[in-house]
Structure formats: C-alpha cells, structure tokens
Amino acid sequence: MDQRWEDAVFLHWRIPVAAAQARMPPGVRADVLDGSAWVGLVGFRMHRVRLGAALPLPWVGSFPEINVRLYSREPDGTRGVVFRSLDAPRLAVVLGARAAGIPYVWSRCRAVVTDGTDPAFGYDVERRRGGTRSSFAVRPDRAARADDELSLELTARFGLHSRFAGRTVHVPVAHDPWPLHPATAVHLEDGLVAAAGLDVGGPPESVLFSPGVRTRIGRPRTVPRS
C-alpha cells in the first residue's frame, strides 16, 4: 500500500525495559534507546491511500489515526514498532486490519488545528460505547529541526512486528526520514496509554511534530523463532 502520513504528533515517555519486554511478540525483544524502553502516543492523518502506486482507494478517504506503540528489535538488528492499539474512524479499515492481526479500534477521531500564524496540531479520540478518551495537541517550533539521535531513533522505524496466524511477522514500511521539529505540548488528557496496560507519569519526555511523509507498506515476512 502507498499512502501519506501528515501532521504527525509524537509524544514519548520512558518506561521500564521489563514492562516493554512483557508485551513483545515471540522472536523480538524490547529496543533500548538512551538507556530505556519507550512508549509512544502518535497521531497523524492518513491521506491518499493506494494499493501499490496506481490504484487509489477513494472509499477509504483521508482520516486520522492515533496509536500507542512500543519499540522492538530482532536478533539480527532489524528494528520495528509493536502496536498496542491503533484508533481510527473507518470501520472497513479497522475490520481489515484486525483480520491481519493488527489491534485497530473503531473510534471517533478528529484532527484539530488551531487558527493563527503559530497553530497547534492535535487529535481527539473517543472509543465507542463510552470507552477510553484521549485529547492532545502540540505547538511545533518550525524554525528549529529535531535532528538529535534520540528523536531520530524514536521516529525512524521502517517496519512493524505483529502476530498473525500464530507467527511473528515483520511488515516493512519505506519512507524518507521524517522532517522533524521540536514541539511543546499545549494540551494532554490521555487514557490510551493506560488502556494499553502501560503506566507513565508526568509530561512526555520527547515531543515532536512532522508535516509528514509519503510511505509504502510492503509484504510481510516471518520472523525466525529465537
């Protein structure tokens, strides 16, 4: 699949390595960055979804997606993301992804951009039937670039690890490096990280924004058993 991810907001907290490792699929381990494992709360707008580069999927349309993620590594060094949840408002997308073993949740989601010359970008989520809620927004410093090692390692993840049909698989995701800007959290009321079974306290240690990238999702491969 070929698509664009736009107006991406990245919020990250340190968590114990053991907490992340307990949620890794077989064959991969929790990746350690700057001495810690990390959990991310990430929102973006999915846009221009296509099968390959030629066949558009107009019924999918553009929609926000908000995910809670951990970071993984195979014994050969291949790195990826392990999703704890992904909230999206398109039922067909949610059902298709869940059939492939990816933990999507059908939710009411919207992207929020404030008016003015220095806008904030954020996302609101409400899971259906009175479920978990999340609301967060950041104001990026577009005059600065976030090119430190930790920011790059938290975002430069070119694949995901998941379980499907009793096996751990790696799905490659190809895109240019995110153009990253440091940002300030201006609003954060989140229940998604706790709903994913992870405990964080205080404000996120890393807050980043990107205008977006074009991505291509490739064919999965089975991860060898360790």
Side-chain angles (χ1 to χ4, degrees):
M1 296 187 72
D2 188 278
Q3 54 199 243
R4 280 195 59 83
W5 297 341
E6 299 182 343
D7 294 341
V9 173
F10 300 89
L11 306 177
H12 284 97
W13 293 262
R14 294 179 186 269
I15 59 171
V17 175
Q21 184 59 49
R23 294 160 176 83
M24 291 291 115
V28 301
R29 64 181 185 270
D31 204 0
V32 175
L33 306 172
D34 195 34
S36 300
W38 295 77
V39 58
L41 175 65
V42 180
F44 61 87
R45 293 187 302 110
M46 192 175 292
H47 188 50
R48 297 178 184 172
V49 179
R50 297 173 177 267
L51 282 174
L55 180 61
L57 301 176
W59 55 272
V60 172
S62 300
F63 59 91
E65 175 188 296
I66 298 88
N67 63 71
V68 176
R69 57 206 275 181
L70 301 172
Y71 298 97
S72 51
R73 182 187 291 266
E74 295 179 40
D76 68 0
T78 301
R79 302 162 75 188
V81 167
V82 172
F83 289 113
R84 295 295 295 161
S85 64
L86 305 95
D87 287 77
R90 294 289 190 271
L91 180 58
V93 172
V94 170
L95 294 177
R98 290 186 70 88
I102 301 175
Y104 267 82
V105 181
W106 188 31
S107 303
R108 298 178 180 89
C109 307
R110 70 185 184 107
V112 179
V113 182
T114 62
D115 295 328
T117 58
D118 189 20
F121 297 81
Y123 295 89
D124 292 342
V125 183
E126 181 182 3
R127 291 182 175 169
R128 295 176 183 273
R129 300 180 180 177
T132 304
R133 297 186 179 190
S134 182
S135 178
F136 56 94
V138 306
R139 180 166 285 110
D141 180 0
R142 291 184 178 259
R145 297 298 295 267
D147 54 7
D148 59 284
E149 183 177 359
L150 180 60
S151 295
L152 297 178
E153 287 189 339
L154 286 171
T155 57
R157 295 285 162 156
F158 301 105
L160 67 93
H161 290 112
S162 186
R163 292 288 284 170
F164 180 70
R167 300 174 296 173
T168 299
V169 297
H170 177 265
V171 181
V173 180
H175 59 75
D176 291 334
W178 291 94
L180 292 172
H181 302 284
T184 301
V186 296
H187 173 68
L188 174 60
E189 296 180 10
D190 176 61
L192 296 181
V193 173
L198 295 158
D199 182 31
V200 297
E205 183 165 332
S206 173
V207 181
L208 302 167
F209 173 81
S210 176
V213 291
R214 178 184 175 185
T215 66
R216 178 166 293 181
I217 300 173
R219 296 180 181 275
R221 63 167 174 82
T222 300
V223 175
R225 294 181 180 272
S226 56

